[in-house]
Every structure is written in structure tokens, then in C-alpha cells.
Amino acid sequence: MSPWGDGELRIGIGWREPIAGFIAAQEELGFVEVVAESLPANGSLPAAIEQLLDRGVVAVPHGLRLSLGGAERPDPARVAHLGHASAALGSPLVSEHIAFVRAGGRSAGHLMPVPRTRAALDVVVENVRIAINALPVPLALEHVAALVEWPESEMTEADFVSEVIERTGADLVLDVANLYANSRNHGFDPLEFLDRIPLERVAYVHVGGGVEREGVYHDTHRHPVVTDVLGLLEELCARTLPPAILLERDDDFPAPEALAAELAAIRAAAERGRRRTSTRVG
Amino acid sequence: MSAEERRELERREAELIRALGGGPSPPGVDSERMRLAAEAVAGKRARLVRHGWPALTLELGERFETMFVDYVKAEPGGEEAIADGLLFARRLDGLALLKDEARVEARLVAAEWRVVHGRAVRRRAPYVAAVRVRRPRRVVLIWRLGGRVRHLTIRR
């Protein structure tokens, strides 16, 4: 069951102020994601986003600071803000992360990975349930890219993510760039990940750019999307076609043509995957 | 689920955050990877602050990176770029490293925002500050009343 309603595959892009003009000029735009914390509490929206909504573009609030993977229960004010953001945007869903961003009175300044233990899983599940109960629309959760790995992890990332999804009823934001980064940096098979997670629960897909440095792949969102990530997207779409796919670009924005070419490459990869499915079925 | 599970998770996650600020790697976590993660996160935060603080960036020049890493090590940090920028500027000010245009910039941002538990929240109360600038010699008055930040330069 898709929160988007039926329809064609939607291709979207993360709304960021410096590329507001580029985004406004995209006629085929399927949806945008708006950083929830960037929206004011009074429900007002930037004029550029209002104009997209007037055109019928779906805008999904994407939260970064709920810290659902943190030891503290989610702050009701932050959950309420995410809910208000969804109301202001009229969005069919909201998204957040399986990650923590603060602990011990300090801020990480980034989305950090949760130790994949049974005990931590219970904490995440309870946090997510608290959030879901207070949100007016369905919640989708994204797994994050991480350079470090916890030694006490007892489960694969695929199993950890799947259990969070299954036990909470949340949907999944599948980030093929995060999957690529973790599979490369921690040495696992990304296709096995795709085979183990509940693909029917994917609300939408993230694609982002990155770069290799010192033998490690960094998911930067300020470099071009690498070919292998598009390859993973194709593999995903050969298994199941997700309702929507979004490009994340946060900084060092390229020329409009380059950004448009990345959106086109994403659509092409999805189409290649879809053709493989129909070949198999037919 | 027990409170003990939450406490244990808090302990481990706090270790990782301290390591991001230059502390030792949590036991069992690869220290080389930890170093790369700390560099990546500090670099990202520094880049976001630079975007919003042109005068500060100009003032610090090549020292920006080092000073920012010092800040990340010393302070709990902001949750997003505005809070990070304000806390960074406040630290530099405390070290008497914030001069002229960069101080004016810091007061203009502070007239609009304050930091509460690492988050930037819009200031409700009125704000007023005077900054003495050396070159050219002048005083810049900055105030916020009725939701708008204004400033006035007085030549001397």
C-alpha cells in the first residue's frame, strides 16, 4: 500500500534553497523532500515551496534531529514539529532516520549509527512507536551511511532495519547510496541486503553522490552520483519498482544541466531495472 | 525494555560522540575509521558554518579549519549550522579572536537567534549591542525590536 496513491514512478529532488530556481524549472518533478527542521514552527513556508505545492508537487518533510536511535525517548516538541511540517506541506508521509544525533549532552552534528544489538533494537522500536503515535501521517525510516562499525553488533544491518520496520509498522526510505557506502566500507553484499529487507515496505528511494578518499567511500551529497550506485538502483528496480525516487544534493551544486542529467540517469536506471522485471515475467 | 538498556545505549553513544570531538575511540571501534568519521563530520559542520558567516570566514582565513576543530573538541556543539556558527563565534569572541566585521556579523546573527540546548531558536526579547570597529574607525549599533534587526553606523 503506497502513501502516494497510484500512478507513475515519481522522480524528485531534495529541496535546498540554492537550487530553488532549478527545482522550480523542472516540469516533470514528481516530488521534493524538505528538511523538516528548516521549516518555521508557525507553519509558514518559503514562497518557492508554496509555488511547488500550488503546482501539485508533493513535498515530504524529512527530519534529521529526532534521534530515534538515541537513548532518550523522542522529544514531544520535535515530533510535534515534524507533524506540523507535514500539515503545512499537506504531505502524505514524513521521514526520519534510524540513527542518533545526540548523547551525553553533546551533539554529533551528523546522523550516527546505532549499535545493532537486541537491546538497542528494543530502544529504537519503542522510540519509533512513540513518534508514530504522535504523528498525523505515516512515518518512513531511512537507514544511514556510517564509516564506523560497532563491535557489539549482533545482527546484520538488513535484519536490524527489517525488524524495526516489521515491529513498528513504519515504512522504509531505502537509500541506495547509503547501502553502497556501507557495503563497500564494511564488506557485505548489497544485493543480499536487498533480498533480505521488506521491499514492499519501501515508501521511496534516496540516491546521493559521494567520493572515495583514503580507501573509504564517503557519502557526501556534494559529489556526483557514482555509477555503482545507479547500478544498485537498477538492481532494486529489477526486484520491485518503488513508487518514488529522490536525488539528494546538499552542497557544491553543479550546473543545472549536470543536475538535470543526474535526474535523467536515475530515471534511466530505474527503467532498465523495470525492463528486466517485465522480461522475466513475460 | 529496561531503563538499564537505555543507560547502556546512552553510555556507548556518548563515547562515540566524544570520539567525534577528538576523544579516544570507543573500545572495539576501529580508531582509523573513527578518525576519518571525525574529520568528515567536522569538515561538514565547518563547511555549513562558512556558508553563513562570510566575514568570520574572511577574518580567520586559513586558520578557520584549525579553530573550528578546536571548537568541536572543546564544546558540546550546535545541532545545526546556525547554532554551530553562533557557538563557534562566541568561543572566538571569548578568546578575543573575533574582530571588526566578524564581530558585527556575529552580533547581527545573535540579534535574531539564541542557542538553547544546542539549538538555534528565534529570539523573542529585544536585543541591543554596540560593536567598536577599528578600520575604518566607527561604532555599529545593532538592535532588534518588533521582529526586525536593524543597525546604525556611527563614524567617530
Side-chain angles (χ1 to χ4, degrees):
Chain A
M1 195 179 59
S2 163
W4 304 92
D6 293 330
E8 272 295 286
L9 169 69
R10 293 165 185 266
I11 304 287
I13 186 164
W15 191 87
R16 306 286 183 269
E17 182 113 51
I19 50 169
F22 169 83
I23 293 172
Q26 300 306 300
E27 283 170 13
E28 305 266 287
L29 194 64
F31 73 120
V32 293
E33 214 180 39
V34 182
V35 173
E37 288 82 1
S38 74
L39 294 175
N42 65 11
S44 68
L45 297 171
I49 292 177
E50 292 273 14
Q51 284 157 17
L52 290 175
L53 295 178
D54 288 346
R55 269 171 55 190
V57 174
V58 173
V60 177
H62 188 52
L64 299 173
R65 297 290 175 258
L66 266 192
S67 209
L68 292 170
E72 288 170 32
R73 287 176 179 79
D75 174 3
R78 290 176 190 274
V79 182
H81 183 83
L82 194 53
H84 294 150
S86 79
L89 295 169
S91 73
L93 75 162
V94 295
S95 55
E96 246 289 351
H97 298 83
I98 301 174
F100 73 97
V101 301
R102 70 185 76 82
R106 288 182 80 101
S107 199
H110 196 67
L111 298 155
M112 302 308 291
V114 182
R116 294 189 307 275
T117 62
R118 305 292 326 178
L121 178 68
D122 289 344
V123 174
V124 175
V125 164
E126 188 184 44
N127 288 349
V128 171
R129 284 182 179 148
I130 290 170
I132 286 176
N133 286 337
L135 286 166
V137 289
L139 170 68
L141 295 172
E142 178 182 351
H143 54 109
V144 298
L147 291 177
V148 291
E149 174 74 297
W150 291 99
E152 62 263 52
S153 288
E154 300 160 352
M155 320 164 66
T156 64
E157 194 186 1
D159 289 347
F160 192 88
V161 169
S162 300
E163 271 214 42
V164 172
I165 297 303
E166 272 150 24
R167 284 172 59 185
T168 63
D171 290 321
L172 180 63
V173 175
L174 178 58
D175 188 317
V176 285
N178 290 352
L179 171 57
Y180 173 72
N182 287 352
S183 68
R184 277 227 17 206
N185 294 337
H186 305 304
F188 65 85
D189 181 358
L191 299 183
E192 205 171 295
F193 181 101
L194 290 181
D195 290 337
R196 287 191 77 89
I197 57 166
L199 290 179
E200 71 283 0
R201 300 289 290 280
V202 173
Y204 60 100
V205 173
H206 270 178
V207 180
V211 69
E212 180 172 331
R213 228 183 280 126
E214 300 183 61
V216 168
Y217 180 82
H218 295 256
D219 176 61
T220 62
H221 297 182
R222 60 188 182 92
H223 292 89
V225 177
V226 301
T227 316
D228 286 349
V229 167
L230 291 173
L232 262 186
L233 177 63
E234 181 184 332
E235 287 294 340
L236 166 70
C237 296
R239 286 162 171 75
T240 181
L241 193 70
I245 307 172
L246 182 122
L247 171 66
E248 291 188 290
R249 181 78 184 211
D250 297 342
D251 205 351
D252 294 347
F253 298 100
E257 309 79 64
L259 217 43
E262 285 209 320
L263 290 172
I266 286 169
R267 186 177 285 282
E271 290 298 339
R272 281 197 302 277
R274 170 149 67 177
R275 275 200 301 276
R276 278 165 54 185
T277 322
S278 40
T279 315
R280 205 181 300 150
V281 174
Chain B
M1 184 208 12
S2 66
E4 182 50 41
E5 283 177 341
R6 283 193 181 264
R7 273 198 298 277
E8 172 60 13
L9 188 61
E10 173 84 11
R11 190 182 65 76
R12 286 298 268 164
E13 293 185 343
E15 281 176 353
L16 194 72
I17 292 189
R18 279 196 299 275
L20 281 180
S25 284
V29 172
D30 183 281
S31 56
E32 177 59 12
R33 282 295 179 85
M34 197 64 240
R35 180 185 68 80
L36 290 173
E39 269 180 25
V41 173
K44 186 196 82 171
R45 287 169 62 184
R47 216 166 19 252
L48 290 173
V49 169
R50 261 201 226 104
H51 282 319
W53 297 73
L56 180 66
T57 304
L58 197 67
E59 161 101 25
L60 291 182
E62 286 178 356
R63 289 180 303 162
F64 190 100
E65 210 68 41
T66 333
M67 303 301 301
F68 196 85
V69 168
D70 287 348
Y71 153 73
V72 169
K73 284 181 183 169
E75 304 218 10
E79 292 212 347
E80 23 66 32
I82 299 174
D84 243 353
L86 280 164
L87 294 171
F88 182 42
R90 187 190 295 171
R91 174 179 168 80
L92 294 169
D93 208 11
L95 298 168
L97 288 168
L98 209 56
K99 306 241 157 48
D100 295 1
E101 300 300 340
R103 273 185 86 204
V104 173
E105 180 178 77
R107 298 297 184 275
L108 284 169
V109 180
E112 195 138 8
W113 302 93
R114 62 198 181 95
V115 181
V116 182
H117 302 308
R119 297 161 72 189
V121 294
R122 281 195 188 275
R123 200 181 277 282
R124 292 233 179 91
Y127 175 96
V128 64
V131 183
R132 210 182 291 268
V133 182
R134 291 165 307 173
R135 272 188 303 269
R137 244 170 100 84
R138 64 197 195 277
V139 171
V140 181
L141 278 176
I142 295 154
W143 71 96
R144 186 180 159 284
L145 258 182
R148 293 201 59 177
V149 177
R150 293 166 196 279
H151 60 99
L152 176 71
T153 302
I154 305 161
R155 308 261 168 215
R156 312 202 320 163

